[in-house]
Structures are given as structure tokens and as C-alpha cells.
Amino acid sequence: MPARFSAYPPDRAAVVRVLAEGERYCVGRAPACELQLDHASVSRMHAEIAHDGEGWRLLDLGSKNGLRVDGRLVSEASLSSPTWFAIGDVYCWLEPLSAQTARDAAAFAEVRRSTSRALSQQLQYLPGVEPLLQQTLSAVLEMSQLERGFVLYGQAGDLRVRAVQGLRHEELGRRGFAGSAGSVERCLSGRRSVICCDTSDSPWLGARPSVVLGGIRSLVCVPLLLGGELLGAIYADSRSAGPLLTEFDLELIEGLAQQAAAALAAARLRGAVDDLLEAARDAGVAAPRWKDLRPL
């Protein structure tokens, strides 16, 4: 029967996959692994999860930090029932599924992809930057199922909060910031997404005052990038335990951010053209006619 594999690397999105019956999956840090776990305690080719016709088995491939099942170091184990185990220091869960449950999971993933595409398409038709930023934030919160967030947008070195949901503007002041300033700074400086499923397990987030005092449980911050230009960032978090933030969730959220960045660039261009036309009218210069712009 198929199975659902879930892994929870610290400071990373959860890795969740439905494994097909009769297949073998290599687990490790190497990009070639079917189940890649990017964590220092995981060997490049750490373990194999395979279905042998009777059930799922876990096999150590000569890893440095080994496998642990129920706290015991093992070289091989049966995973015929729902089981917690550790690959290096990364906790994992494998749960056998019925064929129908596996089909339902695949169908639900496709529904979420369709929803993400529809939300992305809506961004292309919004008039103006402010509605676009607010709709982008709402879409990210819907896809992530987090509670609150904001969007930073502006010129390099002068990014400002331009859309807010679930937070009061006074909560975004530097001294009383209600979110994770560290995650925003890391996202902006590295120009890459920051995600954390459980801040209490995070070595760099768990002890930060803004996280502890704010009661933040999970968060995501993704950059708004257009080519090499940083337009801003989208931040969202939750103070209550909720659905896991998975690699699939991050893929959908980053897709929304890419569409938003393109739509923002288009809106900015339209605004620049409108400003030029307004300046021309103020100067008494007639706006060019379409037939005058067409090539001969």
C-alpha cells in the first residue's frame, strides 16, 4: 500500500510526499535523493525507504549519524504501521495509506494548485499598486493558512509597510514590532524565502524577543523579486498551532510572489506613463495619437 512520508528539518519547510507502493526512495542530503533533507546531520545518501511487497522498510545506507526508531539506534526497521523515526537529527513520520486516501491527497494537491493559479491570475487585472499589494497579502494568507501579515514595498533602501492584515499599524513600529524582525531581515539580505514550522525548535528564532513575546508559532517571509531587483517582501505568521508549512506550500507562495512582482512592475510602468502624460498635458503638449506611434 502507499504511504505518506513527512520530515521536519529545523528552519525548513516540512517535506511531505506520498510514496508509491513497490518503489524505493533514497533519503539524504544529495540533490539526487528522491527524498532530500537539507540538514547537516543527514548524510548525502543516508537511508532507503522501500516497499518489499509486504510492507515498508527502512534501511541505513552507511550513514554517519544513523537511524533511530523509538529512540534506539537501528540499521534496519519495519514500518508496517505508523512510525516515528529519526534520520540523523531530523524527525520523520511514515504512515501507510489506503489507495483511496492516496488518490484523495493527490486530488487535494491539484485543487490547491488550481486555486493558486486563479489567485495569481486575479493579480494581473487589479488597477493600481495598493489594491494589488492587499490582494497579494490576502492570497498568501489563504494559501499558507496563517493568521496575519504585511507587505513591504518600495525603492531599494526605502521599503515601507504598504498592506496589512490581522495587525494594527502601531504593532509594526520598530520597538513594538509584533512579528519576527529577524526573519524579515534574513529574507531581504539573502533575497530568499525564510520559513519556520515551529519556532520553538528553531536555533536562531526560538530565543528572539520578538518571537517569544509575540507568541509566534510559525512564519514565512518571501521576497518580491523582479530579475535582480528587490521590490519588497511578504511576511505572514501565526500565533496558534496550525497546518504544517510544507515545501509544496512554499512553492505555491513563491509562485504568487513571482506573479505579484511582475504585476507590480507593470503597475509601476503604467503609473510612470500616466505621470508623463499628465506632465505633458500640464505643459500644453498634446498626447501622441496611436496612428502617430505606429511604424510606417
Side-chain angles (χ1 to χ4, degrees), residues 86-163:
I87 295 179
D89 293 334
V90 177
Y91 287 98
C92 306
W93 168 259
L94 190 127
E95 174 188 13
L97 303 175
S98 68
Q100 183 59 52
T101 301
R103 287 193 293 270
D104 291 344
F108 181 63
E110 187 52 40
V111 167
R112 296 198 69 220
R113 282 192 189 279
S114 297
T115 301
S116 178
R117 286 193 293 267
L119 291 172
S120 295
Q121 289 171 359
Q122 290 174 12
L123 300 179
Q124 302 174 21
Y125 304 106
L126 292 173
V129 170
E130 300 304 331
L132 178 54
L133 293 173
Q134 195 62 55
Q135 182 62 31
T136 298
L137 177 58
S138 296
V140 167
L141 291 174
E142 179 177 343
M143 296 309 301
S144 66
Q145 300 183 62
L146 296 175
E147 295 176 336
R148 59 186 194 166
F150 59 87
V151 180
L152 291 175
Y153 177 70
Q155 301 297 323
D158 188 30
L159 298 178
R160 298 174 182 268
V161 175
R162 298 285 294 274

Side-chain angles (χ1 to χ4, degrees), residues 7 16 38 47 81 99 122 132 134-135 156 211 219 237 243:
V16 180
D38 186 11
S81 61
Q122 290 174 12
L132 178 54
Q134 195 62 55
Q135 182 62 31
V211 172
L219 62 85
D237 71 22

Side-chain angles (χ1 to χ4, degrees), residues 201-219:
D201 284 340
S202 172
W204 69 278
L205 272 175
R208 293 185 72 96
S210 62
V211 172
V212 175
L213 296 176
I216 299 169
R217 296 291 299 274
S218 55
L219 62 85

